[in-house]
């Protein structure tokens, strides 16, 4: 059984300009102990999907199964069990901690909500801070006294508080300086080895995802373009969008950068208010044909264990 | 003949209540026509303040140039009176900023903003300026350029806004272009579009370009030479291939290791 | 540590420091009034209409009935400050509750709350207070509540704006992701971050409430058992041509207090929102 299973998940937002289909029929599985990278450009719905799993945004349709239980229809009180299993790390280490709460109070919150005793909570907080490599006197201090990387560690400690099975990492290193990034990534990997936690790792930074993910899902305009093993995707991407995305990422090697063939994706991302009919990518796709304008492709096996949503691969 | 841009011993100090801080400390660099020099360093290393010093756009107070020369085609800008700089900026040096949305005026149309640059520095009339603005938008690859002339910035995507900013920067065919993290706020596919565009424009016009970034991948893609800054000083300067092969300064090496670690795993 | 910084920033504003010291004096005066003047201030103790300085026993003179002005001012400080504080407390309580609910939940709740606030803003405040006092009776409690009811709308708006800005911040989302209930998020997480500007506003409402009460008392609708400064001004108004000091002395007291409260509000603003100033 998968730890997390998404079945045709939809998320819609009503805005003044119309209905935004932020997530438009996503189905995805995440196995125990796996790190699944979810990549895509801004506005593709990857963060919204992460929030949908945490039930932070209303779900318009589909099933979200956590260890086989559909959490989509549950209300806040019925979600207690799920909250214990699934937690989240946020992008902005400056914004994800209450500036007027001490670090100790922030990290203790999950235990307090779970009804732990004061001593048990205090012990746990110290353990957590030690795990993420912070001094225990961090408890009494306020978030503004810490650097970005340290704050992200505090966020990780809070997410680990009740020993979750799955942590949703929403761009956890995007706001950090490059040198700090590697430290936080390493910490996440160490914790995974130690506690067997799984990650849904949401990021627009391909190099980070390549580093940490076992499998990768590529999102475009609210739908999945391709899902597959990391090496499979990097070595032989199938979907034309995946190809374009990987080709667009700059490589830190000047000679390779000059010689490698480069297809720069033309055009602009269509508005999610008015997504194109048929394949969402057809308006920018180099291999699009008439069929793509009419018929929306579904994910199907394309070899190497990967799935891609394209009629012509 | 003098190089398009030669910076010699440029020093900029921040005068704050808590004391003086050397934000740029004796920076020297030169950029030839058609050449791209990348200015690299971590946030706070002084690379953006260097760019603002060259443009003489420093927030004064607290920042002030305390020494050095900025020679544009042989003429020292540091000694120039402010009125003289007005003619230089936009005409002889173009600048592109990191956040395209906030470098455009939200209540003016695209045409008006490009035309204003043109009419400030040339004798073009309203109609000619509009036609030239249209041309420029096509040059920067704006899809549907004719219709975008009357659009407002919020109606355009981040990538399109950056194209408009680039169009404004090259409107008067400057000999030097300073790009301060021009793609940091953009997605990878849009970043690739903008980088390709900048390279093409530079090759066509033979502009000298100073490219400020913290992303070594972008450096490898765009630069001919690299200047690495740390704590306000230049710690290394090398041709891009040499820098990536054999970094000399430990700071550069550290950055490359971190970069490769993130890239290779 | 943080508290020291706060005091330091507050004290850097000279006006606020002077205001705070003066208010402290007034407050002490109010607290210790029974010690200095154990006799009921409303008792007739001397000749009527003695000018200040005329009789050393009554340094501020006596009023038209021969009551000690100084004793009345000192005792009046008590009533005046209490009315100000309680009315501001009522306004803050209503304003923060309405604003927090509206800002946090948004949608139709916000819509209703803000329309209600607009309704209250369109009613002329003084007339509204007078109406309530006339209908419910001129007791201190009624006056306090009436002033509170007309003064809550700016606080509600301010609180709502703060909540709107804070409710989508990631630390609030993190709390939701933990399964924290709405009330706990509002009171325990967002409110402490929203309070600084609200506190500034509340301190200004204290000043406004004192002025309101003075107006009500001046018009003769104050609580007859309480000698607030406003009532002293009102009592003296018939003699304003001959013995104008009877009006002027409590009037100056009101003026100084309100001015000090405004200065304090200013200082609090500097101290609580340091970003606005340190530029």
């Amino acid at each position: 059984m998968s730890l997390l299973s998404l079945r045709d998940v939809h998320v819609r937002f009503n805005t003044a300009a119309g209905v935004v289909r932020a997530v438009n029929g996503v189905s995805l599985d995440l196995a125990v102990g796996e790190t699944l990278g979810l990549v895509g450009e801004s506005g593709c719905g990857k963060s919204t999907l992460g929030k949908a799993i945490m039930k932070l945004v209303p779900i318009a349709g589909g099933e979200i199964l956590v260890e086989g239980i559909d959490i989509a229809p549950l209300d806040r009180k019925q979600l207690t069990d799920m909250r214990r299993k699934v937690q989240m790390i946020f992008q902005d280490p400056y914004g994800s901690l209450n500036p007027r709460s001490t670090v100790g109070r922030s990290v203790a919150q999950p235990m307090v909500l779970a009804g732990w005793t004061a001593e048990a909570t205090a012990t746990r907080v110290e353990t957590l801070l030690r795990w993420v490599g912070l001094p225990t006197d961090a408890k009494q201090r306020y978030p503004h006294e810490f650097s970005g990387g340290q704050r992200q560690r505090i966020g990780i400690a809070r997410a680990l508080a009740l020993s979750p099975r799955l942590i949703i990492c929403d761009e956890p290193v995007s706001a950090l300086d490059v040198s700090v990034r590697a430290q936080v990534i390493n910490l996440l990997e160490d914790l995974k080895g130690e506690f067997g936690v799984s990650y849904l790792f949401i990021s627009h930074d391909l190099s980070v995802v390549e580093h940490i993910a076992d499998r990768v899902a590529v999102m475009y305009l609210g739908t999945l373009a391709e899902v597959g093993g990391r090496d499979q995707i990097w070595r032989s991407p199938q979907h034309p969008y995946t190809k374009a995305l990987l080709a667009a990422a700059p490589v830190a090697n000047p000679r390779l950068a000059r010689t490698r063939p480069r297809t720069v994706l033309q055009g602009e991302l269509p508005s999610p208010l008015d997504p194109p009919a048929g394949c969402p990518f057809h308006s920018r796709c180099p291999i699009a044909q008439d069929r793509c304008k009419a018929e929306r492709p579904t994910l199907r096996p394309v070899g190497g264990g990967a799935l891609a949503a394209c009629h012509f691969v | 003949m003098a190089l398009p841009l030669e910076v010699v011993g440029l020093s900029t100090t921040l005068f704050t209540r808590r004391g003086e801080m050397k934000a740029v400390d004796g920076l020297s660099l030169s950029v030839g026509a058609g050449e791209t020099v990348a200015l690299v360093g971590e946030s706070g290393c002084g690379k953006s303040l260097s760019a603002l010093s060259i443009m003489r756009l420093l927030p004064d107070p607290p920042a002030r140039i305390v020494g050095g020369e900025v020679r544009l085609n042989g003429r020292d800008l540091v000694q120039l009176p402010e009125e003289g700089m007005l003619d230089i900026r936009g005409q002889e040096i173009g600048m592109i900023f990191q956040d395209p949305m906030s470098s455009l005026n939200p209540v003016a149309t695209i045409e008006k903003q490009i035309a204003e640059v043109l009419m400030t520095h040339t004798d073009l009339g309203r109609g000619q300026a509009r036609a030239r603005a249209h041309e420029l938008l096509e040059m920067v690859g704006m899809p549907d350029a004719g219709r975008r002339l009357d659009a407002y910035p919020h109606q355009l995507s981040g990538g399109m806004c950056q194209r408009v900013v680039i169009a404004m920067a090259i409107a008067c065919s400057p000999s030097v272009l300073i790009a301060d993290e021009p793609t940091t706020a953009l997605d990878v596919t849009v970043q690739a579009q903008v980088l390709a565009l900048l390279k093409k424009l530079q090759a066509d016009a033979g502009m000298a370009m100073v490219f400020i970034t913290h992303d070594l991948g972008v450096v490898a893609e765009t630069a001919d030479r690299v200047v690495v800054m740390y704590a306000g000083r230049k710690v290394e300067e090398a041709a891009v291939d040499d820098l990536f092969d054999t970094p000399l300064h430990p700071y550069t090496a550290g950055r490359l290791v971190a970069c490769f670690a993130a890239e290779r795993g | 540590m943080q508290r020291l910084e706060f005091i330091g920033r507050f004290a850097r504003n000279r006006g606020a420091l002077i205001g705070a010291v003066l208010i402290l004096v007034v407050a002490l005066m109010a607290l210790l009034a029974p010690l200095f003047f154990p006799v009921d201030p409303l008792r007739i103790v001397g000749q009527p209409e003695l000018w200040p300085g005329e009789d050393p026993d009554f340094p501020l003179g006596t009023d038209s009935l021969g009551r000690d002005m100084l004793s009345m001012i000192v005792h009046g400080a008590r009533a005046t400050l209490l009315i100000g504080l309680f009315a501001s407390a009522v306004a803050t309580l209503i304003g923060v509750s309405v604003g927090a609910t509206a800002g946090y939940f948004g949608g139709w709740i916000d819509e209703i709350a803000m329309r209600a606030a607009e309704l209250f803003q369109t009613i002329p405040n003084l007339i509204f207070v007078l109406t309530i006092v006339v209908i419910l009776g001129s007791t201190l409690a009624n006056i306090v509540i009436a002033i509170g009811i007309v003064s809550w709308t700016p606080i509600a708006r301010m609180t709502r704006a703060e909540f709107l800005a804070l409710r989508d911040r990631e630390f609030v989302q993190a709390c939701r992701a933990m399964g924290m209930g709405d009330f706990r998020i509002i009171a325990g997480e967002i409110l402490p971050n929203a309070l600084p500007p609200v506190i500034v506003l509340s301190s200004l409402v204290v000043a406004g409430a004192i002025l309101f009460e003075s107006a009500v008392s001046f018009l003769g609708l104050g609580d007859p058992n309480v000698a607030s400064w406003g009532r002293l001004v009102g009592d003296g108004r018939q003699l304003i041509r001959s013995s104008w000091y009877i009006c002027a002395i409590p009037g100056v007291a009101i003026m100084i207090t309100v001015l000090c409260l405004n200065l304090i509000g200013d200082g609090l603003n500097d101290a609580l929102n340091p970003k606005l100033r340190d530029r």
Side-chain angles (χ1 to χ4, degrees):
Chain A
M1 186 175 60
S2 299
L3 179 53
L4 173 74
S5 257
L6 308 179
R7 295 278 163 268
D8 196 29
V9 175
H10 289 260
V11 179
R12 296 186 198 114
F13 296 114
N14 292 312
T15 66
V19 180
V20 174
R21 293 168 189 278
V23 177
N24 202 0
V26 167
S27 300
L28 198 59
D29 284 270
L30 197 153
V32 176
E34 184 179 50
T35 300
L36 176 63
L38 185 59
V39 299
E41 295 177 278
S42 42
C44 74
K46 55 187 192 305
S47 278
T48 308
L49 186 63
K51 287 185 181 143
I53 298 165
M54 295 308 295
K55 296 267 289 181
L56 292 173
V57 293
I59 292 150
E63 294 179 350
I64 296 174
L65 304 159
V66 175
E67 294 189 323
I69 301 160
D70 183 12
I71 59 158
L74 303 185
D75 65 27
R76 191 173 67 82
K77 293 220 166 59
Q78 296 167 306
L79 283 169
T80 316
D81 196 37
M82 174 285 240
R83 303 269 186 224
R84 208 156 292 173
K85 290 178 188 156
V86 188
Q87 263 307 320
M88 188 158 186
I89 302 169
F90 294 85
Q91 169 172 4
D92 180 6
Y94 300 89
S96 62
L97 296 168
N98 188 338
R100 284 181 197 273
S101 289
T102 59
V103 167
R105 183 172 178 269
S106 285
V107 176
Q109 272 170 339
M111 279 77 81
V112 173
L113 288 171
W116 288 33
T117 64
E119 299 110 81
T121 305
T123 323
R124 180 71 176 167
V125 168
E126 285 181 14
T127 315
L128 288 165
L129 291 176
R130 202 172 56 240
W131 278 347
V132 299
L134 287 170
T136 38
D137 75 334
K139 278 199 301 192
Q140 298 106 16
R141 295 198 270 155
Y142 286 86
H144 70 86
E145 300 173 49
F146 294 89
S147 70
Q150 286 176 315
R151 273 180 244 203
Q152 201 53 291
R153 285 171 194 267
I154 299 165
I156 294 170
R158 182 175 56 185
L160 280 175
L162 299 176
S163 312
R165 309 287 314 275
L166 171 66
I167 296 182
I168 295 172
C169 309
D170 186 3
E171 304 264 9
V173 296
S174 304
L176 305 177
D177 248 344
V178 185
S179 44
V180 186
R181 254 178 225 187
Q183 295 170 11
V184 171
I185 296 274
N186 289 343
L187 173 66
L188 286 173
E189 295 207 305
D190 293 348
L191 294 171
K192 179 181 171 181
E194 212 158 322
F195 304 108
V197 60
S198 308
Y199 296 122
L200 178 65
F201 196 95
I202 303 169
S203 179
H204 71 279
D205 188 334
L206 295 169
S207 59
V208 173
V209 171
E210 186 189 6
H211 180 73
I212 198 171
D214 304 314
R215 278 196 316 137
V216 176
V218 182
M219 247 182 123
Y220 184 81
L221 216 61
T223 61
L224 285 181
E226 186 164 357
V227 186
R230 170 196 53 185
D231 296 339
Q232 171 67 23
I233 296 255
W234 253 261
R235 211 173 303 130
S236 64
Q238 296 297 310
H239 195 284
Y241 177 64
T242 316
K243 286 181 186 169
L245 195 63
L246 290 173
V251 291
N253 179 336
R255 287 189 189 83
L256 188 65
R258 275 193 294 271
T259 52
R260 71 178 174 146
R262 232 172 152 194
T263 44
V264 173
L265 200 58
Q266 296 304 316
E268 292 280 330
L269 189 72
S271 161
L273 276 169
D274 179 26
C279 174
F281 188 56
H282 81 73
S283 59
R284 302 167 76 192
C285 181
I287 60 165
Q289 297 179 26
D290 281 346
R291 184 180 167 198
C292 304
K293 291 178 189 151
E295 195 185 327
R296 182 172 153 184
T298 50
L299 282 177
R300 59 188 180 80
V302 290
L307 304 168
C310 180
H311 296 303
F312 302 106
V313 295
Chain B
M1 203 190 118
L3 287 171
L5 183 69
E6 257 188 300
V7 177
V8 186
L10 182 67
S11 294
T12 297
T13 301
L14 294 174
F15 297 88
T16 67
R17 222 190 268 169
R18 295 198 188 86
E20 294 175 16
M21 194 194 117
K22 286 184 176 170
V24 182
D25 193 0
L27 176 76
S28 298
L29 60 88
S30 57
V31 196
E35 188 185 31
T36 301
V37 172
L39 201 52
V40 192
E42 229 156 79
S43 36
C45 73
K47 54 191 195 298
S48 282
L49 274 176
S50 306
L52 293 176
S53 304
I54 293 171
M55 294 290 280
R56 293 256 314 267
L57 283 173
L58 289 169
D60 179 17
R64 215 160 55 225
I65 297 176
V66 292
E69 290 174 24
V70 175
R71 280 202 291 271
L72 181 75
N73 297 315
R75 187 150 54 124
D76 186 9
L77 299 185
V78 175
Q79 304 304 331
L80 219 59
E82 177 60 26
E83 301 82 68
M85 276 313 291
L86 294 179
D87 291 332
I88 302 278
R89 288 186 209 121
Q91 187 160 27
E92 291 181 51
I93 312 185
M95 185 151 183
I96 305 167
F97 296 91
Q98 175 173 349
D99 183 359
M101 291 293 186
S102 59
S103 43
L104 291 173
N105 180 351
V107 297
T109 61
I110 301 307
E111 183 224 335
K112 201 170 163 222
Q113 304 193 38
I114 301 178
E116 196 172 305
V117 180
L118 290 167
M119 283 153 65
T120 311
H121 295 296
T122 64
D123 318 323
L124 294 184
R126 202 108 209 46
Q128 290 163 304
R130 185 182 167 93
R132 174 79 181 135
H134 189 176
E135 251 174 61
L136 283 164
L137 282 186
E138 278 177 349
M139 263 170 76
V140 297
M142 174 73 85
D144 215 354
R147 206 160 53 85
R148 304 289 181 205
L149 279 174
D150 299 313
Y152 289 88
H154 69 90
Q155 295 168 315
L156 306 181
S157 70
M160 287 200 265
C161 282
Q162 197 60 295
R163 284 176 197 273
V164 174
V165 175
I166 294 171
M168 288 163 68
I170 61 161
C172 301
S173 316
S175 50
V176 176
L177 187 64
I178 297 177
D180 185 1
E181 305 259 8
T183 60
T184 306
L186 305 175
D187 275 312
V188 267
T189 57
V190 186
Q191 164 171 293
Q193 290 177 355
V194 170
L195 291 181
L197 170 68
L198 283 174
K199 269 180 155 175
K200 182 179 167 291
L201 292 171
Q202 186 195 17
D204 290 352
M207 274 183 297
M209 181 150 77
V210 179
F211 198 104
I212 298 170
T213 181
H214 65 271
D215 184 337
L216 287 173
V218 173
V219 172
E221 300 267 344
T222 52
D224 301 309
R225 262 184 319 122
V226 186
V227 170
V228 183
M229 279 186 81
Y230 186 77
R233 287 164 187 270
K234 175 166 86 174
V235 292
E236 178 156 10
E237 177 171 2
V240 67
D241 288 352
D242 298 342
L243 183 96
F244 280 79
D245 290 344
T246 49
L248 295 175
H249 193 272
Y251 172 75
T252 321
R255 279 199 73 87
L256 281 171
V257 168
C259 180
F260 286 126
E263 207 123 297
R264 301 277 162 266
Chain C
M1 187 58 200
Q2 282 200 315
R3 199 149 298 160
L4 276 178
E5 260 174 55
F6 171 84
I7 293 171
R9 279 200 299 264
F10 183 85
R12 207 185 293 163
N13 183 329
R14 279 291 148 72
L17 200 62
I18 295 169
V21 168
L22 282 178
I23 284 290
L24 215 63
V25 169
V26 174
L28 272 176
M29 207 162 89
L31 272 175
L32 304 176
L35 233 67
F36 294 128
F37 301 96
V39 192
D40 181 352
L42 298 185
R43 246 181 64 184
I44 295 164
V45 287
Q47 277 190 1
E49 292 187 57
L50 280 176
W51 276 72
E54 212 173 317
D55 182 335
D57 282 352
F58 309 111
L60 289 181
T62 59
D63 73 350
S64 56
L65 297 174
R67 298 178 293 196
D68 183 359
M69 284 299 292
L70 181 62
S71 166
M72 285 200 293
I73 289 286
V74 171
H75 279 269
R78 207 165 220 223
T80 303
L81 280 189
L82 281 182
I83 290 165
L85 285 176
F86 276 105
S88 173
V90 170
T92 307
L93 200 69
I94 303 175
V96 166
S97 316
V98 172
T101 317
Y104 181 79
F105 291 104
W108 59 270
I109 296 177
D110 184 27
E111 205 64 31
I112 290 174
M114 285 303 105
R115 290 302 89 77
E118 274 163 23
L119 196 70
F120 274 93
Q121 281 183 313
T122 53
I123 302 171
N125 287 350
L126 189 59
I127 292 177
F128 190 76
V129 172
L130 292 178
T131 312
I132 295 180
V133 172
V134 167
I135 293 171
L136 297 179
S138 313
T139 66
L140 203 56
N142 285 342
I143 295 170
V144 163
I145 291 169
I147 296 173
I149 287 176
V150 298
S151 312
W152 64 271
T153 49
I155 293 178
R157 284 182 180 283
M158 173 76 85
T159 313
R160 172 177 173 268
E162 290 292 313
F163 266 69
L164 276 180
L166 288 163
R167 71 168 179 196
D168 291 323
R169 289 271 294 275
E170 282 189 340
F171 74 85
V172 177
Q173 293 206 341
C175 292
R176 279 200 201 113
M178 269 176 238
M180 197 182 277
D182 289 329
F183 180 76
R184 217 168 163 154
I185 294 180
I186 293 176
E189 301 296 323
I190 306 185
L191 194 59
N193 288 288
L195 271 186
V198 173
I199 291 171
V200 173
L201 205 54
S202 294
S203 72
L204 297 180
V205 169
V206 176
I210 289 174
L211 287 176
F212 252 121
E213 193 278 335
S214 307
V216 172
S217 296
F218 180 80
L219 294 172
L221 289 165
D223 189 330
N225 303 313
V226 180
S228 74
W229 290 343
R231 177 160 158 226
L232 299 185
V233 179
D235 283 353
R237 69 174 187 252
Q238 287 99 338
L239 300 172
I240 198 146
R241 281 159 190 266
S242 51
S243 307
W244 53 265
Y245 69 94
I246 300 175
C247 279
I249 291 169
V252 167
I254 291 171
M255 199 187 77
I256 291 174
T257 309
V258 168
L259 183 70
C260 289
L261 283 167
N262 277 301
L263 289 173
I264 288 174
D266 217 31
L268 282 176
N269 199 23
D270 290 351
L272 294 170
N273 305 317
K275 272 168 248 150
L276 295 177
R277 200 184 159 79
D278 271 1
R279 289 220 146 213

